[in-house]
Amino acid sequence: MVFRLLVIFLFFSFSAFGQRDLIITQAGEQIRCKITGETSMRFSYSYTNEKGKTVHSEIFKTLVSSYKYNFFQDDKAATPKTVAQKPTKTYNSPLKEKTEFTNYLKYRVGFKGGLSNLLDGSTDKSDYGLFTEKLKRGWHYGADATIFFNDHIGLGVQYNSYQASNKNRKLDFPHRLNGGEVRNGSLETKINHKFVGPMLVGRIPLDYKTFVMASAGPGYYFYTDKGLENEKAYSFKGKDWGAAASLGLEFLLGNNDSGRDVMLSIECGYQYGKVLVETQSIDLSRLDFSVGLRFNRFPRHLRQ
């Protein structure tokens, strides 16, 4: 019984390395191998290198122009003279391929939005302090555009806007228009932080469809605080230099039929800045948690 199991094991072990399949890449490279697995995104395959060792590798389907199971009639490691065996061991940059996918990861335009939390460490527990505390939790939206010089480094421009508001019809608060303090007054406040500036972008692929993204850059803040104090309108403005950084993941969506034109992004961002409004220094530092969509080219289904 043990002998039979050993024979069966050896049979499947040797047959697994039979190189009867053929993969042809978009660059015209022909690989004689044994295709050991196939998913919607990639092929897994094995081949024997020049030293007689079995090597296991993968290739993404968008880098493959054609493939054929059992193309060869025997399991010999040598390939016919008409087929040049050039095994692919490493990831081939899609930016270098002269196909439909040329430069399909070179450009990126996107939109995002999410929740934000200002990092002002105020500890005021008064009613007015609790009123301003709610202004530290808001939402944001933004847009950005990037051009990549290679697979990993790009330069772009970004814009984002933070919004928060609160109102109370019976509140004691400092009267910023006339000085002093208001008793049992009404206060309505809307604040907005706009930020625009360049950014340096880094990209590391975890696999064909998943990327770690990081960005950082300086920029300029435009701060506004508008509202009503006892039904009387007020407006305060300020502007100054600041900076922004983010870290997140992007997932390439779609398939060969629909096109891989859209990326889902999930990221955490940090904004730093301070502005002087009247005689008060206001800290604009905050954390952003965003979800967005980014496009690396005009969607294929809209081009057809």
Side-chain angles (χ1 to χ4, degrees):
M1 183 64 181
V2 176
F3 177 75
R4 290 183 178 180
L5 292 175
L6 180 61
V7 170
I8 294 174
F9 173 77
L10 292 175
F11 172 78
F12 282 105
S13 297
F14 284 109
S15 62
F17 300 145
Q19 300 178 103
R20 295 189 178 188
D21 305 326
L22 177 66
I23 295 176
I24 302 178
T25 70
Q26 296 280 8
E29 186 179 34
Q30 301 182 15
I31 307 171
R32 181 173 182 173
C33 61
K34 171 68 175 179
I35 299 177
T36 57
E38 180 182 354
T39 68
S40 61
M41 298 295 295
R42 71 192 76 193
F43 289 106
S44 299
Y45 64 93
S46 301
Y47 64 91
T48 302
N49 63 15
E50 294 84 354
K51 297 181 179 179
K53 294 183 179 180
T54 300
V55 179
H56 305 284
S57 187
E58 292 182 337
I59 188 170
F60 300 107
K61 283 189 173 180
T62 51
L63 302 180
V64 174
S65 63
S66 64
Y67 64 95
K68 181 72 174 179
Y69 287 98
N70 296 318
F71 180 81
F72 301 97
Q73 301 301 316
D74 56 58
D75 295 334
K76 292 181 180 180
T79 60
K81 293 182 179 180
T82 57
V83 178
Q85 185 178 5
K86 298 179 181 179
T88 301
K89 298 182 182 180
T90 58
Y91 171 72
N92 288 326
S93 167
L95 301 180
K96 300 177 181 178
E97 305 295 343
K98 301 300 182 181
T99 69
E100 177 192 354
F101 301 97
T102 298
N103 293 336
Y104 85 112
L105 287 178
K106 185 174 183 179
Y107 305 100
R108 187 188 70 166
V109 177
F111 309 91
K112 64 181 180 180
L115 302 177
S116 301
N117 187 24
L118 295 180
L119 300 178
D120 182 6
S122 174
T123 58
D124 186 356
K125 300 300 182 181
S126 66
D127 290 342
Y128 179 69
L130 296 177
F131 179 90
T132 58
E133 184 71 22
K134 291 185 179 180
L135 296 175
K136 299 176 185 178
R137 297 177 178 85
W139 60 279
H140 70 276
Y141 65 90
D144 57 75
T146 307
I147 180 171
F148 287 91
F149 307 116
N150 52 44
D151 277 359
H152 305 293
I153 301 296
L155 189 63
V157 61
Q158 62 177 321
Y159 166 84
N160 60 68
S161 177
Y162 169 79
Q163 314 277 338
S165 62
N166 196 10
K167 61 183 178 179
N168 194 316
R169 297 300 181 185
K170 190 176 181 181
L171 179 70
D172 298 340
F173 60 90
H175 202 313
R176 290 178 291 177
L177 291 177
N178 301 323
E181 185 172 329
V182 176
R183 297 290 182 179
N184 293 325
S186 64
L187 179 62
E188 183 175 344
T189 299
K190 295 181 181 180
I191 63 172
N192 176 240
H193 309 169
K194 290 183 172 64
F195 178 88
V196 61
M199 62 179 179
L200 181 66
V201 183
R203 175 174 61 192
I204 300 176
L206 299 181
D207 58 27
Y208 180 70
K209 63 178 181 178
T210 308
F211 304 88
V212 176
M213 305 295 299
S215 68
Y220 207 71
Y221 272 108
F222 299 90
Y223 171 87
T224 59
D225 180 354
K226 297 181 179 181
L228 299 173
E229 286 188 353
N230 283 339
E231 306 304 326
K232 185 175 182 180
Y234 74 88
S235 177
F236 297 101
K237 297 183 179 181
K239 53 186 178 180
D240 208 337
W241 290 98
S246 68
L247 178 66
L249 293 174
E250 289 189 355
F251 305 92
L252 193 61
L253 306 179
N255 52 48
N256 286 340
D257 296 325
S258 63
R260 294 182 174 88
D261 311 310
V262 184
M263 292 175 284
L264 172 68
S265 67
I266 301 174
E267 66 182 39
C268 177
Y270 173 69
Q271 304 274 144
Y272 172 79
K274 291 184 178 182
V275 296
L276 185 65
V277 179
E278 300 295 325
T279 59
Q280 181 182 8
S281 178
I282 299 178
D283 189 355
L284 305 182
S285 301
R286 73 175 193 265
L287 288 178
D288 294 336
F289 302 93
S290 310
V291 177
L293 291 177
R294 290 187 166 93
F295 302 86
N296 50 51
R297 59 180 178 179
F298 194 76
R300 179 195 291 179
H301 68 276
L302 296 179
R303 289 184 275 127
Q304 295 177 347

